[in-house]
């Protein structure tokens, strides 16, 4: 094992290097693609000093309170380099370009062109042959490994998540105030959005509420979920002949745009959605400015944020909105893969060190450490009821000490907790139920050189066009013009490459 100098536990990432250096950096790492030691012998109980570039989904990094316990349980000293989720694309791209990386890098944007190129370049270790040596890692299902692989190589430990985590959260107290039942189909959902906007659901006599509160993302805002309800494919559709069609060339996608445009034109979708960040979206919902939110996983956080502001708030999660054909569907994010815990060869020099770090990742999935990263310290941050119900004791303290760590858990599916909050527990159960009708993206395990090189810029063409259509800035002809631009700019090449990869994998 290499010796590393002692370092502080938590620092912020500051990466300002131009992404133009990416290809040169990738080439340099590729030249070091064979760094294995002859034996790979390591001591699984040795003390490990490890640096980790991880995503930060909260305003501030965690305190050392729980981190100390994690280090004690795993016999490690951890230096977290936190990357705010809002700037992850810029920061991670710059880090990959500069080669300034940590021992562990959380790569959550597997469809990002720069990330994809870096993975294929040989910059990171292929861990395929090592996982079965570890008690927890060997439990990762084969389909998850396949979905996280590129050309049969697995360049990191997959973050394991449920197949379909999306769904809706509605203000149940507003439904009750207006005498409405929870919606079960698209027509009823539209009516709820109208009533939440026009019928004074909070009873304050003011015109100050709307239906959908949304944010500047197609994928994680309302649109992707609504497109699932309409029956659109998840990313791409593939027919029996192996022909690939992008989702935005389907009738269901067009119908989703029309549905969203009608919401927007009537004020049932927040007018500023295209410039609203996730944190602002959540804050506005917690302040009582809207009654429909996309993302069942956030139900507890929204309730906590509303304390002292909207104490009367009662929420209900909904995972089933029937489409025009009466069927239930929900899109699956990367087939249950939330990204990779990747190990750069520039930092992890040999097989022995890699194996010790994999042991650390394996330890993070142990129930003891999982509970530390999920709940914190029992008796201080959480308690378990007589029937094992999980209950956070002090939300404010939990948010400071624990919540920032929870997004770095290698697995969200290995252990199941019964949440003491019945609405959060219901949301958890509905997310698991989504597995039954989750719609997978057929391109997740496939490779396309065009997608690797230009996928992000091509995607932006469609994102911008979809937003413009929803906001009435272009019509169907204008949208088709942008689709044609996408095709000529590499979209057609991408489709052909996916078709070839699909046939080769058969």
């Amino acid at each position: 094992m290499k010796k590393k100098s002692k370092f502080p536990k938590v620092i912020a990432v500051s990466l300002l290097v131009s992404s133009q250096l990416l290809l040169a950096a990738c080439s340099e790492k590729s030249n070091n693609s064979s760094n294995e030691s002859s034996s790979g012998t390591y001591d699984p109980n040795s003390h490990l000093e490890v640096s980790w570039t991880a995503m930060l989904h909260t305003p501030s990094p965690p305190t050392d309170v729980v981190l100390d316990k994690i280090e004690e349980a795993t016999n490690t000293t951890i230096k977290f380099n936190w990357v705010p989720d809002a700037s992850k694309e810029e920061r991670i791209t710059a880090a990959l370009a500069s080669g300034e990386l940590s021992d562990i890098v959380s790569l959550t944007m597997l469809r990002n062109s720069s990330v994809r190129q870096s993975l294929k370049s040989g910059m990171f270790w292929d861990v395929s042959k090592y996982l079965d040596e570890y008690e927890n890692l060997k439990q990762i299902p084969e389909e998850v490994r396949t979905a996280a692989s590129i050309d049969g190589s697995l360049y990191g430990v997959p973050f394991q998540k449920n197949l379909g985590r999306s769904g809706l959260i509605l203000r149940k107290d507003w439904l009750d105030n207006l005498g409405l039942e929870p919606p079960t189909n698209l027509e009823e959902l539209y009516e709820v959005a109208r009533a939440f906007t026009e019928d004074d659901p909070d009873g304050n006599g003011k015109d100050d509420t709307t239906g959908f509160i949304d944010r500047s993302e197609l994928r994680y805002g309302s649109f992707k979920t609504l497109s699932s309800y309409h029956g659109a494919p998840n990313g791409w559709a593939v027919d029996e002949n192996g022909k690939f069609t992008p989702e935005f060339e389907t009738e269901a996608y067009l119908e989703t745009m029309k549905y969203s445009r009608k919401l927007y034109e009537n004020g049932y979708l927040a007018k500023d959605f295209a410039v609203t960040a996730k944190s602002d979206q959540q804050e506005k919902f917690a302040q009582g400015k809207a009654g429909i939110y996309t993302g069942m996983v956030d139900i507890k956080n929204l309730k906590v944020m509303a304390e002292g502001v909207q104490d009367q708030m009662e929420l209900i999660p909904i995972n089933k909105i029937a489409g025009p054909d009466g069927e239930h569907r929900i899109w699956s994010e990367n087939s249950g893969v939330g990204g990779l815990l990747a190990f750069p060869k520039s930092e992890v020099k040999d097989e022995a060190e890699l194996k010790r770090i994999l042991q650390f990742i394996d330890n993070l999935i142990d129930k003891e450490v999982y509970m530390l990263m999920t709940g914190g310290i029992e008796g201080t941050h959480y308690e378990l009821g007589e029937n094992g119900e999980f209950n956070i004791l002090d939300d404010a303290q939990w948010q400071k000490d624990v919540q920032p760590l929870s997004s770095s858990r290698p697995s969200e599916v290995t252990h199941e907790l019964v949440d003491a909050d019945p609405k959060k527990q219901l949301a958890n159960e509905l997310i698991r139920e989504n597995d039954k009708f989750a719609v997978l993206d057929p391109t997740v395990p496939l490779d396309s050189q065009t997608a690797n090189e230009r996928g992000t810029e091509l995607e932006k063409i469609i994102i911008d066009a979809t937003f413009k259509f929803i906001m009435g800035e272009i019509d169907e002809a204008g949208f088709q013009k942008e689709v044609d631009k996408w095709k000529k700019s590499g979209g057609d090449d991408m489709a052909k490459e996916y078709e070839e990869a699909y046939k080769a994998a058969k």
Side-chain angles (χ1 to χ4, degrees), residues 77 86 130 141 213 281:
T77 301
Y130 302 108
I213 190 72
Q281 175 198 23

Side-chain angles (χ1 to χ4, degrees), residues 188-303:
E188 292 174 1
L189 178 60
Y190 185 89
E191 171 57 22
V192 168
R194 183 209 63 76
F196 280 2
T197 307
E198 297 180 347
D199 294 350
D200 192 21
D202 57 2
N204 67 356
K206 300 178 181 179
D207 183 16
D208 59 356
T209 60
T210 191
F212 280 87
I213 190 72
D214 211 349
R215 62 179 185 261
S216 57
E217 294 180 301
L218 276 191
R219 192 171 179 83
Y220 299 106
S222 67
F223 187 85
K224 186 74 171 176
T225 296
L226 289 173
S227 73
S228 290
Y229 298 157
H230 278 86
N234 183 4
W236 295 77
V238 56
D239 65 19
E240 64 275 7
N241 297 316
K243 178 178 172 55
F244 278 68
T245 302
E247 60 184 349
F248 46 83
E249 285 201 280
T250 65
E251 185 66 24
Y253 192 97
L254 176 60
E255 290 304 313
T256 307
M257 289 200 300
K258 291 179 178 178
Y259 185 94
S260 298
R261 182 171 181 160
K262 189 177 177 183
L263 288 170
Y264 181 83
E265 289 175 339
N266 289 302
Y268 310 156
L269 168 64
K271 290 290 187 180
D272 60 353
F273 83 95
V275 293
T276 299
K278 178 181 179 180
S279 58
D280 294 328
Q281 175 198 23
Q282 292 179 327
E283 185 176 336
K284 290 176 180 179
F285 187 89
Q287 292 171 348
K289 295 181 179 180
I292 307 173
Y293 178 95
T294 306
M296 292 190 295
V297 293
D298 291 329
I299 190 166
K300 195 166 188 175
N301 290 343
L302 293 173
K303 181 64 176 175

Side-chain angles (χ1 to χ4, degrees), residues 113-129:
S113 302
S114 297
V115 171
R116 196 87 173 173
Q117 281 183 285
S118 297
L119 291 170
K120 284 177 63 68
S121 73
M123 182 183 289
F124 297 94
W125 284 87
D126 181 350
V127 302
S128 307
K129 67 180 182 180

Side-chain angles (χ1 to χ4, degrees), residues 9 47-48 50 52 62-78 80 82 356 360-361 363-377 401-410:
K9 292 175 184 171
H47 183 76
L48 174 68
V50 63
W52 184 350
T63 65
D64 288 348
V65 174
V66 173
L67 184 55
D68 287 341
K69 295 291 185 181
I70 293 172
E71 291 179 327
E72 181 181 345
T74 58
N75 193 22
T76 58
T77 301
I78 308 169
F80 273 111
W82 293 106
R356 178 61 186 92
F360 165 65
I361 302 298
N363 292 340
L364 293 179
I365 305 177
D366 286 342
K367 184 66 175 287
E368 175 190 0
V369 186
Y370 171 85
M371 289 304 300
L372 286 170
M373 299 182 79
T374 302
I377 302 169
D401 299 339
V402 188
Q403 188 180 16
L405 296 164
S406 62
S407 60
S408 293
R409 294 172 299 176

